[in-house]
Amino acid sequence: MDGLAIERQREDCENLARFRHWEVVETYVDQSISASDKTKKRPAYLQMVADYEAGLLDAIVCYDLDRLTRQPRELEDWIDRAESRGLLLVTANGDADLSTDGGRMYARIKAAVARAEVERKGARQSRAHVQRARQGRPPKGVRPLGYSTSGQIIPHEAEGVRAIYAAFLRGDSLQGIARALSGTQMDGEGLGVPHLPLHSRTVVLERNARREVEGKVPRPVPEDRPWSASTVLGILRNPRYAGYSVYTSKDVRRQETGESRRKALRDNLVKDENGELVLGQWEAIVETDQWWTVQNFLDDPARVTNRSGSTVRKHLGAGLYRCEVCGEPVRTRARYYSCKAGHLNRTRSAIDDFVRALVVERLKRKDLRRRKKQADPEIKDAFSERIAEQRARIARAERDYDAEVIEGEDLARIRKAARAEITRLEAERLTSGTGTVLAPILGTSDPAQAFLEAPMALQRTMRHPHDGHAQEGTAGQEGVCS
């Protein structure tokens, strides 16, 4: 990036042009853009091709053949131009001259060797990245918000990440959280989310500071602009915040775009030789069950993504209550809840009021308050990890089903067993007085009132099963509506 190598190459090419008595009409430079990656755009290279096709030049001098291209297919295009249209193409090191059959043969061999070396280098790098991920070491590349490049927590950014997760679980929209981070939120939006400078700009400023210390020229700094909902979504989808090690291959990154790429992070959680998820050698910023609960909300097929920016369902039982006859989730129609098969049709407001009353009654019991006072703070992490393992088990089974590795009945069996274990663990956790997702309710002096005042997203994480125990859950847990 200091430009010295470019100047050396330019000087050698101009010397060769003078030796051949050629007039230099244009110099094309693509600085720090690899010729080996066919997916990358090389603006100067494309302009050179266009200028040749337009007849503005009839000879090309390049420092070395691999400075022109490392793609055998592109080289053949230049050889065709040399053979059919008289293009003169030579290299400053004198090893390639497309005007002779020997030069063309050498060019083809060199291009093939260069391509093979690129592929070998890519394989070595990919293997190194996989090994690094399986060891739970921080990945290379741009640091995420809240972490340094070495994986150490940056306190004020980590607090921002926790606030983002808490706001989303409260029911705040992605747009509202983005406005809060930008300092432009509306009244009642993104409460508790701090104003932070745009992370991509912060990273460039940090890199420039290091470059100045090294005596290098700083890179252009992007303009300070508001946060986007897409960036917030990327933070909510990132498994690193829950302490998971993840690796996505370059092929997957090329194929996946937008939200599908963020889901790919979850689908590519690194597993050890026993099939268990690998935890990173860094401190998690959010708890594992909290992260999985956010994924459940984001994966909800009925999640609203229209202009309102709402990310949660608008009715307490939609997709949550299940028909006692067929076991299918109920739907909302006008003022009613009904199942797809038509076994039931009940007034929505009456059912929701009934369920809320049951939860409030349970939250008012003295034994709940007594257990909460006796809670062991160390128990929370144990429950959180075990619950997260079951949610990861469901996610792996769903991925295997999509890949046609397992049948639908296998997926149903795994889901049923994992959900039953989640229900048992969450009931046990509530009995011990611990929990993260419902801390805004269970952590208050009056859980019953806090539940009634909570946003719909938090209310939907509570249910009242037949055994009489209220418990912490997810957006996909069942309650029976009959």
Side-chain angles (χ1 to χ4, degrees), residues 28 71 78 111 134 149 173 181 250 286 390 439:
Y28 304 90
Q71 302 295 327
W78 290 114
R134 287 179 176 171
T149 53
S173 68
L181 289 167
K250 184 181 293 187
V286 300
Q390 295 302 318

Side-chain angles (χ1 to χ4, degrees), residues 56 120 123 138 153 169 189 195 220 227 249 267 270 283 307 325 336 340 349-350 363 369 400 416 439 458 464:
L56 301 182
R120 282 194 296 270
I153 282 183
L169 290 172
E189 270 192 335
H195 169 42
W227 286 71
S249 68
D267 294 337
V270 178
E283 183 181 350
R307 298 188 203 98
V325 178
Y336 302 97
K340 184 177 181 179
S349 59
L363 291 175
R369 292 195 294 271
D400 290 343
K416 182 178 180 180
L458 271 182
H464 192 287

Side-chain angles (χ1 to χ4, degrees), residues 89-123:
L89 192 153
V90 297
T91 60
N93 61 16
D95 288 335
D97 185 343
L98 299 188
S99 64
T100 68
D101 57 350
R104 290 190 292 271
M105 179 185 70
Y106 177 81
R108 288 187 174 105
I109 294 173
K110 186 169 184 178
V113 171
R115 185 61 193 170
E117 177 56 29
V118 167
E119 292 175 352
R120 282 194 296 270
K121 180 181 178 182

Side-chain angles (χ1 to χ4, degrees), residues 380-396:
K380 179 172 59 177
D381 291 336
F383 284 121
S384 175
E385 180 61 29
R386 290 161 65 189
I387 291 170
E389 288 174 357
Q390 295 302 318
R391 289 177 179 158
R393 181 184 175 193
I394 294 174
R396 290 197 300 271

Side-chain angles (χ1 to χ4, degrees), residues 222-269:
E223 295 182 3
D224 192 11
R225 52 187 175 81
W227 286 71
S228 67
S230 176
T231 302
V232 174
L233 180 59
I235 293 172
L236 292 171
R237 282 293 193 188
N238 194 339
R240 285 194 63 189
Y241 292 120
Y244 287 124
S245 184
V246 62
Y247 173 74
T248 306
S249 68
K250 184 181 293 187
D251 291 338
V252 171
R253 291 195 295 271
R254 286 173 179 170
Q255 296 170 6
E256 303 287 355
T257 58
E259 171 63 346
S260 60
R261 178 178 295 178
R262 298 185 183 97
K263 287 185 178 180
L265 286 174
R266 180 198 61 196
D267 294 337
N268 288 276
L269 294 172

Side-chain angles (χ1 to χ4, degrees), residues 446-462:
D446 189 349
Q449 186 61 33
F451 168 76
L452 292 175
E453 296 174 353
M456 183 67 69
L458 271 182
Q459 289 189 353
R460 282 173 54 83
T461 62
M462 299 286 289

Side-chain angles (χ1 to χ4, degrees), residues 209-478:
R210 292 194 295 269
R211 293 182 66 82
E212 290 179 0
V213 171
E214 297 168 359
K216 298 179 180 179
V217 178
R219 293 181 179 178
V221 179
E223 295 182 3
D224 192 11
R225 52 187 175 81
W227 286 71
S228 67
S230 176
T231 302
V232 174
L233 180 59
I235 293 172
L236 292 171
R237 282 293 193 188
N238 194 339
R240 285 194 63 189
Y241 292 120
Y244 287 124
S245 184
V246 62
Y247 173 74
T248 306
S249 68
K250 184 181 293 187
D251 291 338
V252 171
R253 291 195 295 271
R254 286 173 179 170
Q255 296 170 6
E256 303 287 355
T257 58
E259 171 63 346
S260 60
R261 178 178 295 178
R262 298 185 183 97
K263 287 185 178 180
L265 286 174
R266 180 198 61 196
D267 294 337
N268 288 276
L269 294 172
V270 178
K271 292 178 286 187
D272 60 20
E273 60 275 9
N274 298 319
E276 299 298 327
L277 295 180
V278 174
L279 293 178
Q281 298 178 21
W282 59 83
E283 183 181 350
I285 291 179
V286 300
E287 293 203 20
T288 49
D289 63 320
Q290 187 181 22
W291 184 82
W292 281 105
T293 299
V294 167
Q295 306 318 300
N296 289 340
F297 282 145
L298 292 172
D299 290 343
D300 187 347
R303 186 168 68 93
V304 180
T305 55
N306 58 18
R307 298 188 203 98
S308 69
S310 175
T311 57
V312 295
R313 294 184 188 260
K314 299 184 181 302
H315 305 293
L316 184 63
L320 180 64
Y321 303 156
R322 293 184 180 269
C323 173
E324 190 175 39
V325 178
C326 64
E328 292 298 314
V330 300
R331 302 179 175 183
T332 55
R333 295 179 180 175
R335 296 181 294 110
Y336 302 97
Y337 284 129
S338 60
C339 74
K340 184 177 181 179
H343 296 127
L344 62 86
N345 194 47
R346 298 288 186 270
T347 302
R348 186 174 62 239
S349 59
I351 296 295
D352 286 351
D353 290 345
F354 173 74
V355 172
R356 286 192 180 95
L358 288 175
V359 176
V360 167
E361 178 186 357
R362 179 66 188 92
L363 291 175
K364 286 182 176 179
R365 293 184 186 177
K366 293 182 179 179
D367 63 320
L368 178 64
R369 292 195 294 271
R370 183 170 59 253
R371 281 197 296 268
K372 186 172 66 173
K373 291 180 180 178
Q374 298 172 349
D376 182 353
E378 297 300 324
I379 296 178
K380 179 172 59 177
D381 291 336
F383 284 121
S384 175
E385 180 61 29
R386 290 161 65 189
I387 291 170
E389 288 174 357
Q390 295 302 318
R391 289 177 179 158
R393 181 184 175 193
I394 294 174
R396 290 197 300 271
E398 291 172 343
R399 185 184 63 222
D400 290 343
Y401 175 74
D402 291 339
E404 300 183 352
V405 175
I406 62 175
E407 301 293 335
E409 59 184 23
D410 297 320
L411 173 60
R413 174 178 52 78
I414 294 172
R415 274 178 173 168
K416 182 178 180 180
R419 285 172 175 168
E421 182 64 8
I422 289 173
T423 298
R424 186 191 69 78
L425 290 170
E426 287 178 334
E428 188 177 345
R429 178 168 61 180
L430 183 72
T431 301
S432 68
T434 61
T436 302
V437 176
L438 290 179
I441 294 177
L442 299 179
T444 64
S445 59
D446 189 349
Q449 186 61 33
F451 168 76
L452 292 175
E453 296 174 353
M456 183 67 69
L458 271 182
Q459 289 189 353
R460 282 173 54 83
T461 62
M462 299 286 289
R463 73 183 182 97
H464 192 287
H466 297 302
D467 62 5
H469 293 287
Q471 61 187 59
E472 188 174 345
T474 70
Q477 279 189 309
E478 301 92 356

Side-chain angles (χ1 to χ4, degrees), residues 130-158:
V130 171
Q131 182 184 44
R132 187 179 184 88
R134 287 179 176 171
Q135 292 173 346
R137 298 165 62 193
K140 299 286 188 179
V142 179
R143 72 172 184 85
L145 181 72
Y147 289 110
S148 67
T149 53
S150 61
Q152 300 299 314
I153 282 183
I154 300 176
H156 74 280
E157 290 187 356

